[in-house]
Amino acid sequence: MAANLRALRAKDNWTASALAEQAHISRRMLQLLEQGGVNVSLGAVNKLARALGVTTGSLLGKRPMARQDGAALIEQVLATNLVSARRRLNLTQETLAQQSGISRAVIAHIERQARNPSLHTLARLAAALDLSLEALLSQ
């Protein structure tokens, strides 16, 4: 994500201050993200992706893709993908919790769109489901 942030910001001639203001995050948070040194929430990543005009999942991938008008909310995309992947592997929330090290309650909250998980939490869930973060967050 750090490389994508730096490249997109440079391509569109955003200053760190201007992008941080547009995304409603602190300039310091943006700097830390561009250095790859902070565990941020999905909400913050979504704000940056929106400000940059790319999809949230692709901001975490190899090639950012333009956001389409009317795209589903990232919380809906995450919940749908998490439930689908879990069911595809015939996993209960409890089994996924054991395999990922994330509590069943947190998984249930994410599936109900009642939680703003960190990227660290999502990475652990994606690994347990044999998915990339980009796949977990893409339509």
Side-chain angles (χ1 to χ4, degrees), residues 1 3-5 7-8 11 49 52-67 134:
M1 179 173 74
N4 286 340
L5 282 173
L8 287 167
K11 177 183 142 269
L52 291 164
V54 299
T55 64
T56 305
S58 74
L59 184 58
L60 301 166
K62 293 181 182 182
R63 202 177 103 218
M65 298 180 344
R67 182 179 292 271
E134 181 178 10

Side-chain angles (χ1 to χ4, degrees), residues 8-68:
L8 287 167
R9 190 164 67 79
K11 177 183 142 269
D12 293 336
N13 292 318
W14 286 94
T15 65
S17 295
L19 178 56
E21 183 177 324
Q22 181 69 27
H24 303 288
I25 65 169
S26 73
R27 185 173 167 273
R28 180 68 182 138
M29 173 67 78
L30 177 59
Q31 289 173 328
L32 290 170
L33 286 169
E34 286 186 348
Q35 295 167 0
V38 68
N39 183 27
V40 66
S41 71
L42 177 59
V45 174
N46 190 51
K47 287 178 182 181
L48 280 166
R50 283 184 175 280
L52 291 164
V54 299
T55 64
T56 305
S58 74
L59 184 58
L60 301 166
K62 293 181 182 182
R63 202 177 103 218
M65 298 180 344
R67 182 179 292 271
Q68 302 299 314

Side-chain angles (χ1 to χ4, degrees), residues 19-120:
L19 178 56
E21 183 177 324
Q22 181 69 27
H24 303 288
I25 65 169
S26 73
R27 185 173 167 273
R28 180 68 182 138
M29 173 67 78
L30 177 59
Q31 289 173 328
L32 290 170
L33 286 169
E34 286 186 348
Q35 295 167 0
V38 68
N39 183 27
V40 66
S41 71
L42 177 59
V45 174
N46 190 51
K47 287 178 182 181
L48 280 166
R50 283 184 175 280
L52 291 164
V54 299
T55 64
T56 305
S58 74
L59 184 58
L60 301 166
K62 293 181 182 182
R63 202 177 103 218
M65 298 180 344
R67 182 179 292 271
Q68 302 299 314
D69 289 337
L73 296 175
I74 192 61
E75 296 83 1
Q76 292 172 328
V77 171
L78 171 59
T80 299
N81 290 347
L82 183 59
V83 170
S84 295
R86 186 173 57 75
R87 289 183 177 159
R88 185 184 72 249
L89 296 171
N90 294 316
L91 299 175
T92 64
Q93 289 178 344
E94 188 63 38
T95 306
L96 179 57
Q98 291 168 355
Q99 292 179 1
S100 66
I102 303 298
S103 78
R104 190 210 53 80
V106 168
I107 293 168
H109 280 96
I110 294 170
E111 288 184 358
R112 287 194 321 266
Q113 302 172 39
R115 187 168 184 111
N116 181 18
S118 70
L119 289 186
H120 179 73

